[in-house]
Every structure is written in C-alpha cells, then in structure tokens.
Amino acid sequence: MVRSPARLRAEDRTRLSSDGGRPSMAAPQRPSGLRLWLRRRRGLLRPALYALLGLGLVGAGAVTVSALDPAGRFAWLGENMAEVAGAAGLTVNEIVVRGQQNTPRELIRAAIGVGRGDPLLAFSPTQAKARLESIAWIEQAEVQRHLSGNILIEIHERKPFAIWQRQGEFAVVDRDGRVVSADTLDAFGPLPLLVGDGAHKLGATLYDALSREPEVRRRVQALVLVNERRWNLRLHNGTDVLLPEAHEAAAVQRLGELQRSSALLDRPLVAIDLRLPDRLVVRQNPAPEPIAEPPKRRGGSSRG
C-alpha cells in the first residue's frame, strides 16, 4: 500500500504533541477484540479480498477500458481479463434460444459468437442483440447473460405475409414489404402471390379487402400491380379482374356481390372490367370455329 504525501502529513500532525513538536510518550491503546480477530485471520482474509476485487475488475474491465480508451489502444486488457475469468471457471455453460421458427440456426449461431466453454465475460449481450436484429427474419431480440454460465435469447420474428414475384425472381415479404427470405420458398406455398414492381409494399391493403370477401379470395391466384398504379386479380381459371385505380376495396365488395347473385367468377371469361363504377364489362372466350367435315365422296361412273 502506498500512502499519498497529503495523508502522511496529516498523520504526522496527529502524532505530534503540543510541547515543542516532540513525540508524545502516551501508552499505546490495547486493540479491541474485533481487531485482534482480524489480525489473527489476516492470512485467510487477504486472498479472499483479492479474489473479490479481481472478479469486480474483470466484470468492469471491458466497460471501463472501452469508455476510457475509445481508440482501442488498451482493448487487450479487457480481453485478458475475460480470459483470466474463463480460466478460473467463469465460462459459457448453456445457450437457450426461444422464439426461433423461420430464422436459420446457422445465422443465429454466427450472431451469438460464442459456444460452450468460451469465457462468459467475453460475450457482449449488447453486441449480440445488434447482430441478431440485423438478420432479416428477426424484428427484435432480447439477450441476457447470467453468472451461472447461461445465456438466454428471446427472438421475435417477422411474420411472412406473401410471396413477391418481380422479373422472374421470388422472395418472402412481411406486411410492411420487407424481404425476409429469398431462399426457402417451399414452406410458404399457401401465401398470396404479389406480382410487379412495388407490389410487395402495397399488397397488404388489397389483401385485407379480399379477406372480407372469402368467395372471391379463394379464387384469386395472384395480385398483379399494373404500372405501379392499379391492380389486376388473376383468378385460378385464368380470368383477369381489372380493378380501378382508386377505391379498389369497394370494387372487391362489388365483385363479391356479383359472385353471390350470378356466380360471375365461375364463368369462362377472359376479363371482368370493374374500372367504371357504373358499368360492368366482360369479355368472353371467343367461340371456337366449327370444323368443316371433309366432303363425302360421291359414287363416280366407272370408265368403260
């Protein structure tokens, strides 16, 4: 222990008597029972105190170094502290991930960055949270580190809404139009199909209108955005339903009423045009031309 000069001067003043500065010859006081107990057990208390102090320094080392040394010149100090704590037995025991459904596990493992047996204090929950939330599937992540060696991770994923087709390429998007996957499409067959530039950001409103008309929705194969201005509904039987640029929800409701009254969607039509609010225009498949039968051969006279 090194005492500061100011403290030494203060102690010297308390030890001097008032008569000329000569040291006083007062008899030393007998130490109390607590002080005697501490002196006798000094050999045991000192290592315990150092151990507690070391754990406190290891736990705060990384934060202190990063705050006092933003340039990273002493970053090795925090790393060495974490390694010392790991050598002392403070390591990762178990990693528990909850809420994972569609996010690939290899992406989660890479974002966590540690495994069993790694130094626990070398793991940063804040950095792991940022890396997890950078994955397209993950909307929010909660990361907890416990001194027992367990790391708990709670994941809140984005919900797949539709499959977006653009220029021959497919991707899974959520309701906000964010692309969450461009690889695993086989598991998302029942999702609605959005076609065209910008369709992934505008399709949710139209799909909500279709959800209120289930007889129409179950016949729709794709929602096609035309010139980023208006929608066409491509039905499973090949019919195109042309919706107006505005008030498409009212047009879908009108289409549902026509289906209930006349089963319009079950007819073999090329197109149903609803772009005019007071008029319904349909185009039927042209009737096939009759095939002429070859002329029958008449019985001819034989040459004699």
Side-chain angles (χ1 to χ4, degrees), residues 2-297:
V2 179
R3 299 180 183 179
S4 64
R7 184 173 179 181
L8 285 174
R9 288 195 298 269
E11 291 181 355
D12 291 341
R13 285 197 298 269
T14 58
R15 292 179 181 178
L16 293 178
S17 63
S18 60
D19 52 347
R22 294 190 302 271
S24 63
M25 303 301 295
Q29 297 181 357
R30 183 179 180 181
S32 62
L34 178 59
R35 292 183 179 179
L36 289 174
W37 185 86
L38 292 174
R39 288 180 181 179
R40 294 172 182 175
R41 289 160 177 79
R42 184 179 300 173
L44 298 176
L45 292 177
R46 184 173 297 175
L49 180 60
Y50 288 166
L52 292 175
L53 181 61
L55 287 177
L57 289 175
V58 169
V63 177
T64 304
V65 169
S66 61
L68 299 179
D69 181 36
R73 291 188 297 269
F74 300 103
W76 59 270
L77 181 59
E79 297 176 358
N80 290 341
M81 289 181 177
E83 292 180 0
V84 170
L90 197 59
T91 58
V92 176
N93 179 36
E94 186 177 5
I95 301 175
V96 179
V97 179
R98 299 171 182 169
Q100 182 271 339
Q101 293 182 354
N102 298 309
T103 309
R105 293 184 179 273
E106 57 272 15
L107 294 181
I108 295 178
R109 286 195 295 266
I112 295 173
V114 295
R116 285 187 177 182
D118 292 339
L120 181 65
L121 297 180
F123 171 74
S124 171
T126 304
Q127 295 178 3
K129 172 182 172 65
R131 289 193 297 265
L132 286 168
E133 292 179 350
S134 67
I135 300 175
W137 271 112
I138 299 178
E139 182 177 7
Q140 185 180 2
E142 300 174 5
V143 182
Q144 298 179 4
R145 179 187 62 185
H146 299 276
L147 291 180
S148 61
N150 295 338
I151 296 176
L152 302 181
I153 298 175
E154 187 77 23
I155 290 176
H156 303 276
E157 292 184 337
R158 293 182 171 87
K159 296 182 179 179
F161 168 69
I163 296 177
W164 177 37
Q165 177 185 347
R166 175 180 176 272
Q167 298 180 358
E169 298 182 355
F170 296 87
V172 179
V173 298
D174 63 0
R175 283 186 62 91
D176 297 331
R178 182 186 179 95
V179 176
V180 294
S181 176
D183 300 323
T184 57
L185 301 179
D186 296 338
F188 305 103
L191 295 179
L193 178 62
L194 308 176
V195 181
D197 293 337
H200 61 305
K201 295 183 178 180
L202 304 175
T205 302
L206 179 57
Y207 187 77
D208 291 342
L210 288 171
S211 299
R212 295 189 287 270
E213 297 291 341
E215 288 299 318
V216 178
R217 185 186 62 180
R218 70 183 185 88
R219 290 172 170 81
V220 174
Q221 180 184 12
L223 285 65
V224 183
L225 188 60
V226 181
N227 296 328
E228 300 187 40
R229 295 170 52 191
R230 64 169 192 85
W231 291 95
N232 282 356
L233 303 179
R234 171 61 60 88
L235 305 185
H236 288 287
N237 60 5
T239 302
D240 285 328
V241 180
L242 284 64
L243 299 180
E245 292 186 17
H247 308 293
E248 62 268 15
V252 171
Q253 182 179 1
R254 181 186 177 194
L255 189 63
E257 295 172 353
L258 291 172
Q259 174 61 22
R260 288 187 289 271
S261 62
S262 61
L264 180 66
L265 302 182
D266 298 329
R267 301 182 183 182
L269 302 175
V270 175
I272 302 173
D273 194 342
L274 298 175
R275 289 178 292 180
L276 299 177
D278 57 347
R279 186 177 303 178
L280 174 65
V281 179
V282 297
R283 286 186 293 169
Q284 296 181 344
N285 286 318
E289 296 182 0
I291 300 177
E293 296 183 0
K296 295 182 180 180
R297 186 176 182 181

